[in-house]
């Protein structure tokens, strides 16, 4: 087993420091095109709160989001999170609704085979939303199977005086709690009336900045995540929210690295499921992840760092790479199981590497038991969620 483990760590080392790019990049791009990346199509007027919603869901700041948008049609842009090279979520932002005549036909063509969820963003006190509503009805007629979530934003604009957010969150049941200001309750219900002919999920939220003085700044975020999970497969979403499972990893760099771990893990679900693909593709993706994480920690990934990490975590983890190959020989479900195994292992390796680099930065390296525990817990967590994603 030690020989097997050493051999597989050597294979990853070769991918890290002597990459053989022949055919690998094209295969990675081919798999990326087939990944079930959830696409959130955002509809709403300017200043409705679409960027704040993306910031709350992804944890990225507004500047990063603004810089990350790319044009996809004349009136629309898309934003891949955490990056276009290994996206795990995609947001399609339709601009100009309610301000200029908008025909959604071009966007419908562009995302007809991509969008999984329509998110309509309405400022709660804005009653001039006729064009937004008409667009939603048009989209629903052409894609009646798409879930629709209407996010009602800027709740604090309906508060009186120095009122604060109502706790616990009171908007999950109708009628609303008497604590909700009467005027605010009226406009929220009036907006809901616009969509009475369409199956819609409503989530009132208030995503603000710290200087605005409202706590929490992401009021209603849990309700929004719960609604998203109710209409989408929970695997990737569960991993995104899974940071709470590993609080000990959440220094600043680990928070930045977390979405990258998920993106590469999901990519390796696709890689690992390819019959006869072998280890090279999986190792190439893991090599890209290691370089990405080291960059986030502001460190150069050297052979010394890699040798130290593999020595600390142990050869038994490396042996698991070969175990993923053996899974392909399981009748009927072999390749699918191997894909989940590859994705979970990629995620777990990334988590353990974060623990190691955190120690490097602090000048206090973790021991084998700490790294192995981080790997085992992350692997079990990711394997269950990625398995749910496949089913």
């Amino acid at each position: 087993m030690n020989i097997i483990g050493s051999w597989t760590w050597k294979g990853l080392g070769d991918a890290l420091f002597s990459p053989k790019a022949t055919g690998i990049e094209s295969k990675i791009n081919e798999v990326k095109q087939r990944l079930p990346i959830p696409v959130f199509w955002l509809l709403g007027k300017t200043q409705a709160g679409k960027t704040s919603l993306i910031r709350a869901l992804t944890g990225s700041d507004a500047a990063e989001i603004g810089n990350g948008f790319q044009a996809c049609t004349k009136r629309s842009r898309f934003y891949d999170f955490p990056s276009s090279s290994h996206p795990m979520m995609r947001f399609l932002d339709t601009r100009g609704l309610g301000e200029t005549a908008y025909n959604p036909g071009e966007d419908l063509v562009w995302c007809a085979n991509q969008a999984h969820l329509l998110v309509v963003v309405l400022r709660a006190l804005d009653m001039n939303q006729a064009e937004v509503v008409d667009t939603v009805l048009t989209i629903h007629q052409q894609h009646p199977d798409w879930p629709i979530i209407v996010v009602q934003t800027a709740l604090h604009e309906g508060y009186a005086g120095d009122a604060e957010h109502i706790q616990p969150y009171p908007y999950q049941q109708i009628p609303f709690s008497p604590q909700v200001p009467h005027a605010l309750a009226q406009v929220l219900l009036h907006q809901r009336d616009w969509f009475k002919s369409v199956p819609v999920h409503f989530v009132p939220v208030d995503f603000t900045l710290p200087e605005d003085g409202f706590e929490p700044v992401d009021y209603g975020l849990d309700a929004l995540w719960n609604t998203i999970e109710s209409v989408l497969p929970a695997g990737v979403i569960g991993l995104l929210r899974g940071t709470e499972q590993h609080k000990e990893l959440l220094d600043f760099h680990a928070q930045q690295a977390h979405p990258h771990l998920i993106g590469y893990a999901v990519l390796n679900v696709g890689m690992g499921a390819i019959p006869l693909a072998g280890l090279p593709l999986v190792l190439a993706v893991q090599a890209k992840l290691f370089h990405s994480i080291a960059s986030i920690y502001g460190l150069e990934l050297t052979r010394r760092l890699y040798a130290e990490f593999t020595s600390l975590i142990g050869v038994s983890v490396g042996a698991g790479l070969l175990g993923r190959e053996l899974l392909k020989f399981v009748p009927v479900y072999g390749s699918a199981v191997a894909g989940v195994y590859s994705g979970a292992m990629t995620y777990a390796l990334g988590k353990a590497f974060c623990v190691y680099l955190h120690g490097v930065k602090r000048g206090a390296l973790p021991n084998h038991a700490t790294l192995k525990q981080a790997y085992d817990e992350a692997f079990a967590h990711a394997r269950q969620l990625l398995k749910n994603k496949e089913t």
Side-chain angles (χ1 to χ4, degrees), residues 39-338:
V39 177
F40 295 67
W41 188 356
L42 304 178
L43 292 176
K45 296 167 61 175
T46 302
Q47 303 299 319
K50 290 178 287 183
T51 299
S52 296
L53 185 148
I54 297 174
R55 186 177 64 231
L57 289 177
T58 63
S60 293
D61 65 37
E64 290 173 340
I65 292 168
N67 294 336
F69 271 114
Q70 302 176 53
C72 58
T73 68
K74 292 179 181 178
R75 295 183 180 272
S76 300
R77 306 174 298 168
F78 64 85
Y79 172 72
D80 286 340
F81 178 78
S83 74
S84 59
S85 63
H86 52 283
M88 49 165 286
M89 301 169 71
R90 167 170 284 182
F91 297 89
L92 171 64
D93 178 20
T94 304
R95 298 177 291 179
L97 286 178
E99 296 180 2
T100 58
Y102 172 68
N103 183 339
E106 187 176 9
D107 289 319
L108 281 168
V109 171
W110 187 85
C111 67
N113 297 315
Q114 299 187 60
H116 301 90
L117 176 64
L118 187 62
V119 181
V120 185
V121 186
L122 304 179
R123 207 173 187 95
L125 270 61
D126 186 353
M127 295 293 105
N128 182 22
Q129 302 277 1
E131 193 160 1
V132 176
V133 176
D134 288 344
T135 301
V136 172
L137 297 179
T138 298
I139 294 171
H140 177 68
Q141 286 178 351
Q142 298 191 30
H143 298 276
D145 56 326
W146 283 359
I148 302 174
I149 297 177
V150 175
V151 181
Q152 298 169 288
T153 66
L155 299 178
H156 68 271
E157 294 178 351
Y159 296 171
D162 297 327
E164 299 180 353
H165 294 318
I166 301 167
Q167 298 289 5
Y169 182 82
Y171 301 102
Q172 293 175 314
Q173 293 184 338
I174 301 294
F176 296 141
S177 162
Q179 292 177 285
V180 178
H182 179 67
L184 177 59
Q186 279 190 314
V187 295
L188 291 176
L189 293 173
H190 185 71
Q191 287 184 340
R192 294 182 180 211
D193 237 17
W194 297 336
F195 302 93
K196 59 186 177 183
S197 64
V198 179
V200 170
H201 304 267
F202 295 93
V203 186
V205 303
D206 202 346
F207 300 148
T208 55
L209 298 173
E211 55 265 32
D212 294 328
F214 293 96
E215 291 291 340
V217 295
D218 54 0
Y219 184 69
L221 180 59
D222 282 343
L224 179 57
W225 271 124
N226 290 338
T227 302
I228 291 172
E229 289 178 355
S230 72
V231 299
L232 288 179
V236 173
I237 303 302
L239 279 174
L240 181 62
R241 301 187 75 184
T243 53
E244 295 181 1
Q245 303 283 335
H246 304 280
K247 289 185 182 295
E248 71 277 9
L249 302 181
L250 290 185
D251 66 342
F252 170 78
H253 298 99
Q255 292 183 54
Q256 300 300 308
H258 185 76
H260 293 261
L261 307 187
I262 303 167
Y264 282 108
V266 172
L267 181 57
N268 253 352
V269 171
M271 290 294 178
I274 300 175
L276 304 179
L279 285 177
L281 292 176
V282 172
L283 293 174
V285 171
Q286 290 175 348
K288 286 175 174 289
L289 172 60
F290 271 56
H291 280 294
S292 178
I293 295 173
S295 176
I296 289 170
Y297 277 79
L299 295 169
E300 181 184 355
L301 182 54
T302 63
R303 291 182 181 274
R304 184 192 66 79
L305 278 179
Y306 178 71
E308 189 173 68
F309 170 69
T310 57
S311 174
L312 284 170
I313 198 170
V315 295
S316 61
V317 170
L321 290 166
L322 187 61
R324 165 256 177 209
E325 287 297 290
L326 297 176
L327 285 172
K328 288 190 174 183
F329 292 96
V330 177
V332 183
Y333 298 110
S335 293
V337 173

Side-chain angles (χ1 to χ4, degrees), residues 9 12 261 268 282-283 286-287 289-290 293 306 309-310 313-314 317-318 321 342-356 371 374-376 378-379:
W9 279 127
L12 179 54
L261 307 187
N268 253 352
V282 172
L283 293 174
Q286 290 175 348
L289 172 60
F290 271 56
I293 295 173
Y306 178 71
F309 170 69
T310 57
I313 198 170
V317 170
L321 290 166
S342 296
M345 188 169 192
T346 300
Y347 178 82
L349 280 173
K351 281 287 189 182
F353 196 49
C354 285
V355 174
Y356 165 71
L371 281 181
Y375 175 88
D376 289 344
F379 181 85

